[in-house]
Amino acid sequence: MKRRVALKNMALAFGSLLALPAWADSWSATSIQSLKSYLSSEQEALLAEITETILPATNTPGAKDLKIYTFVHKMIADCYEPEVQENVVKGLATAEQLAKQTYAKTFATCDTKQREEILTTMEISIDPNWASFYKLVKDLTLQGYLTSEYYLTNHTNYKMIPGHFYGCVPAPTPQAQLQK
């Protein structure tokens, strides 16, 4: 009886080991796209512009370069309630509407200072939906940046496999240690 269980477990482990490389090779930017997209392509482009305004490119890549907007989109689609998703859609529409009312331009065609003023207006607004939209997008933008591969590999001491083992290192002789 135990031999059957052991053989069954070994077969499962062997099958898992065979399937794992095929599963890991299929990761790509398109494969992690959210299936429950609640934004149109225009809204996603506007979200990209808003995240770029929050985290602009300087001597480091900005939010658009790192595709932080896809992170924000996926997080909201997969982890937040439909009411929050509706508030994000309304917040995007509000940002676009404020740009058209204030500057007679779309948000994407506004310059950086105009974009910052629009987002500041939303942040300090007494309308809780505007403020919560801005806070959510800003927090997720920063979370996406701080957990991006670029940030972890270039600005932190992140190692995929920590604790490298050096098996053959010359040891100091006892006479060298006595001289110290």
Side-chain angles (χ1 to χ4, degrees):
M1 186 68 172
K2 291 182 180 179
R3 187 176 77 193
R4 288 183 184 177
V5 171
L7 287 174
K8 181 179 148 190
N9 289 341
M10 286 176 50
L12 284 173
F14 183 72
S16 299
L17 287 174
L18 288 177
L20 183 63
W23 174 76
D25 284 344
S26 65
W27 279 96
S28 67
T30 56
S31 69
I32 62 169
Q33 293 285 329
S34 177
L35 298 176
K36 305 182 298 181
S37 180
Y38 63 95
L39 295 177
S40 65
S41 59
E42 294 85 18
Q43 291 169 330
E44 190 172 64
L46 178 59
L47 181 63
E49 296 297 331
I50 289 173
T51 58
E52 181 69 16
T53 305
I54 294 170
L55 192 65
T58 56
N59 57 351
T60 60
K64 279 175 75 175
D65 297 331
L66 297 175
K67 297 187 178 184
I68 301 296
Y69 61 94
T70 58
F71 173 80
V72 173
H73 185 186
K74 183 160 181 67
M75 285 293 289
I76 294 172
D78 292 349
C79 301
Y80 287 90
E81 300 294 323
E83 296 83 24
V84 176
Q85 295 173 4
E86 290 174 17
N87 191 38
V88 169
V89 171
K90 288 178 186 174
L92 292 171
T94 301
E96 189 71 21
Q97 184 182 8
L98 283 174
K100 287 180 181 175
Q101 285 176 350
T102 310
Y103 303 108
K105 300 178 187 176
T106 62
F107 187 88
T109 58
C110 289
D111 62 20
T112 305
K113 185 167 178 65
Q114 293 169 338
R115 289 179 180 190
E116 288 173 354
E117 288 176 5
I118 292 167
L119 293 180
T120 302
T121 301
M122 295 182 76
E123 182 182 20
I124 61 174
S125 171
I126 57 171
D127 186 349
N129 291 331
W130 291 15
S132 67
F133 162 77
Y134 178 74
K135 182 176 180 350
L136 177 67
V137 172
K138 181 180 173 184
D139 289 348
L140 288 176
T141 300
L142 293 177
Q143 182 182 357
Y145 180 73
L146 294 175
T147 57
S148 69
E149 181 181 351
Y150 168 78
Y151 181 80
L152 291 175
T153 57
N154 294 316
H155 296 285
T156 64
N157 193 15
Y158 176 78
K159 292 180 182 174
M160 183 73 154
I161 303 172
H164 187 81
F165 176 71
Y166 298 99
C168 185
V169 177
T173 61
Q175 293 175 347
Q177 289 183 344
L178 290 176
Q179 292 177 354
K180 289 183 180 179

